[in-house]
Amino acid sequence: MSDADLVELARDVNSRCRLRGSFTLRSGIVAEEYFDKYLFESDPVLLRRVADRMADLVPRDTELLGGLELGGVPLVAVLSQVTGLPAVFIRKQAKAYGTRRVAEGGEVGGRRVVLVEDVITTGGAVVAAAGALRGDGGLVGTVICVVDRTEQGGGLLADHGITVKAVFTKRVLDAVDVP
């Protein structure tokens, strides 16, 4: 994907997802702007364009894609179609019934798994998912996300041996003019 195509994609994601109004954030703070990631994930054309860009970021030795509940699931489903790689769906915690697994859809043991997430802010969910998959024998060293909101330098994820590959950083999305 060319730089011009990436800028166009950023504009389209911003145009679709940046809402203006009064929004109460998880922290309780009221903000005048909100980024609703589910709006690009529920748009089949925009979701496919994002997945096409994500496909360029998948390491060559990847054997399995793991989408984190909830936002990573639609992304990993489309990314699996684009790349031809199988996918698993990673729960925040295993159910007490059925397979009782954190990763649903296939075995992770001994396989190179790339995690797929929509937005990373602190990295806590990614660290938890990587830990669970590593506990099941999965080889996890990379996460691909649409928006990386973390601080430069890797922080928590780097401390846990996880490399972040992002379609966009928050700074890049913030810098793109929305028509």
Side-chain angles (χ1 to χ4, degrees):
M1 178 177 280
S2 73
D3 288 345
D5 291 337
L6 192 58
V7 168
E8 181 181 347
L9 180 58
R11 279 193 188 111
D12 292 346
V13 166
N14 267 337
S15 177
R16 183 81 169 104
C17 298
R18 281 196 192 260
L19 305 177
R20 305 238 187 306
S22 180
F23 304 94
T24 302
L25 306 180
R26 185 181 318 176
S27 64
I29 295 172
V30 176
E32 295 178 8
E33 183 178 273
Y34 183 74
F35 185 85
D36 188 346
K37 62 191 178 183
Y38 295 112
L39 293 176
F40 82 77
E41 292 184 35
S42 63
D43 179 323
V45 174
L46 194 51
L47 178 60
R48 174 59 191 252
R49 289 173 58 207
V50 168
D52 285 341
R53 175 62 183 133
M54 292 179 90
D56 295 339
L57 303 175
V58 175
R60 294 183 193 266
D61 62 350
T62 302
E63 297 174 276
L64 189 62
L65 300 168
L68 277 67
E69 179 184 349
L70 174 69
V73 170
L75 286 163
V76 81
V78 177
L79 188 57
S80 176
Q81 286 288 306
V82 170
T83 62
L85 291 167
V88 292
F89 309 107
I90 304 167
R91 297 181 184 280
K92 292 177 183 167
Q93 63 183 30
K95 297 283 186 181
Y97 56 86
T99 65
R100 298 181 181 182
R101 295 180 181 180
V102 170
E104 299 284 1
E107 294 297 323
V108 299
R111 299 171 84 182
R112 294 199 181 282
V113 184
V114 168
L115 299 177
V116 178
E117 181 65 299
D118 50 10
V119 178
I120 298 174
T121 302
T122 64
V126 173
V127 168
L133 295 184
R134 288 171 176 164
D136 287 340
L139 308 171
V140 182
T142 302
V143 60
I144 298 172
C145 66
V146 180
V147 182
D148 180 0
R149 295 172 52 112
T150 63
E151 296 298 319
Q152 293 283 340
L156 178 66
L157 294 171
D159 291 346
H160 285 85
I162 301 169
T163 301
V164 178
K165 295 186 174 193
V167 175
F168 308 111
T169 61
K170 181 182 183 307
R171 190 173 69 192
V172 165
L173 282 177
D174 288 347
V176 174
D177 293 328
V178 178

